[in-house]
């Protein structure tokens, strides 16, 4: 599909850019490792005190913990099956099934965007809902998230922002637990 082709192209380009910065072969890096390499080489970020890189994808969140600036500073890498679809898709589907129309409240002056929101709100198939939501986010993500503060007077939008923040905080909590484990085992310096 066009979506898959676009994603593969962007992913490959990003990985290759990160690998070019560090002279590593593209196939040898995970997504979270490529993010770390980008910040380390491209942005000259210091990893001496430690850094956590997360890639919150659709199905998994990849986490890499780094410390020190040497080549072998990757301390831990893990992946959890809690990510975008759990945080966003499941939430919006469940709210829709219970009669709460969150997405249509994001309407703006763009007729195509509004048409996609209404279509998504009327979708009865979970699979089709997920596909349409991902397409909508692909093309209108910036507009949606930019408009959230202006829509926050609506109680449903406020609840949505709170619940997404809460879900994301779970990932950060997990990262904190991971660093705590690394400290207790002597792998991570203070």
């Amino acid at each position: 599909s066009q979506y898959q082709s676009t994603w593969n192209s962007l992913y490959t380009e990003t990985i290759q850019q990160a690998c070019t910065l560090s002279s590593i072969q593209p196939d040898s890096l995970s997504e979270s490792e490529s993010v770390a390499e980008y910040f380390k080489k491209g942005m000259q970020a210091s990893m001496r005190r430690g850094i956590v890189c997360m890639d919150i994808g659709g199905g998994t969140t990849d986490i890499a913990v780094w410390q020190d600036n040497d080549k072998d500073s990757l301390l831990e890498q893990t992946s959890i099956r809690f990510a975008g679809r759990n945080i966003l898709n499941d939430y919006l589907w469940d709210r829709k099934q219970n009669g709460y129309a969150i997405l249509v409240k994001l309407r703006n002056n763009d007729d195509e965007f509004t048409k996609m929101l209404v279509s998504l709100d009327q979708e009865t198939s979970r699979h089709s809902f997920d596909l349409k939501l991902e397409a909508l986010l692909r093309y209108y993500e910036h507009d949606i998230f930019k408009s959230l503060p202006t829509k926050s007077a609506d109680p449903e939008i406020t609840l949505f922002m709170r619940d997404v923040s809460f879900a994301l905080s779970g990932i950060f909590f997990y990262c904190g637990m991971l660093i705590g484990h690394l400290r207790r085992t002597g792998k991570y310096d203070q």
Side-chain angles (χ1 to χ4, degrees):
S1 75
Q2 183 178 1
Y3 175 76
Q4 185 67 35
S5 174
T6 301
W7 167 252
N8 286 338
S9 174
L10 290 172
Y11 172 76
T12 301
E13 181 182 313
T14 303
I15 294 292
Q16 287 176 340
Q17 181 181 8
C19 292
T20 302
L21 293 170
S22 64
S23 303
I24 295 174
Q25 296 301 315
D27 293 337
S28 66
L29 288 179
S30 70
E31 291 171 349
S32 55
E33 287 175 304
S34 69
V35 170
E37 286 297 322
Y38 172 78
F39 281 107
K40 184 176 175 181
K41 303 291 185 184
M43 311 270 307
Q44 287 81 40
S46 173
M47 294 189 189
R48 187 172 322 279
R49 294 188 56 135
I51 188 169
V52 176
C53 296
M54 293 181 287
D55 174 40
I56 303 174
T60 62
T61 297
D62 299 315
I63 302 165
V65 180
W66 300 77
Q67 191 172 42
D68 295 324
N69 281 323
D70 67 348
K71 188 177 179 180
D72 299 318
S73 61
L74 177 64
L75 301 179
E76 186 71 40
Q77 182 176 351
T78 188
S79 185
I80 56 175
R81 293 182 145 237
F82 183 75
R85 286 188 197 101
N86 306 103
I87 295 169
L88 190 61
N89 296 34
D90 290 351
Y91 180 86
L92 292 173
W93 176 257
D94 291 343
R95 297 297 287 172
K96 184 176 116 36
Q97 294 301 102
N98 289 307
Y100 297 98
I102 296 172
L103 292 170
V104 294
K105 295 180 178 199
L106 300 174
R107 290 181 180 160
N108 61 21
N109 295 330
D110 184 332
D111 290 337
E112 186 64 29
F113 176 66
T114 298
K115 190 185 313 180
M116 288 178 79
L117 286 173
V118 170
S119 173
L120 192 59
D121 190 55
Q122 295 172 348
E123 186 58 60
T124 57
S125 160
R126 174 60 196 260
H127 180 69
S128 295
F129 177 85
D130 286 344
L131 292 175
K132 287 180 179 181
L133 178 60
E134 289 178 26
L136 178 80
L137 290 173
R138 174 76 178 115
Y139 295 106
Y140 295 103
E141 174 184 16
H142 179 67
D143 296 334
I144 291 170
F145 288 102
K146 190 172 92 176
S147 74
L148 284 177
T150 64
K151 311 276 184 173
S152 65
D154 185 297
E156 277 299 310
I157 300 297
T158 300
L159 184 64
F160 166 71
M161 292 186 331
R162 183 205 68 189
D163 291 347
V164 168
S165 297
F166 184 74
L168 291 171
S169 70
I171 294 173
F172 286 102
F173 180 78
Y174 179 82
C175 289
M177 291 179 61
L178 181 60
I179 290 173
H181 168 74
L182 292 171
R183 287 182 67 199
R184 284 188 302 281
T185 58
K187 293 180 182 177
Y188 191 91
D189 296 330
Q190 290 190 19

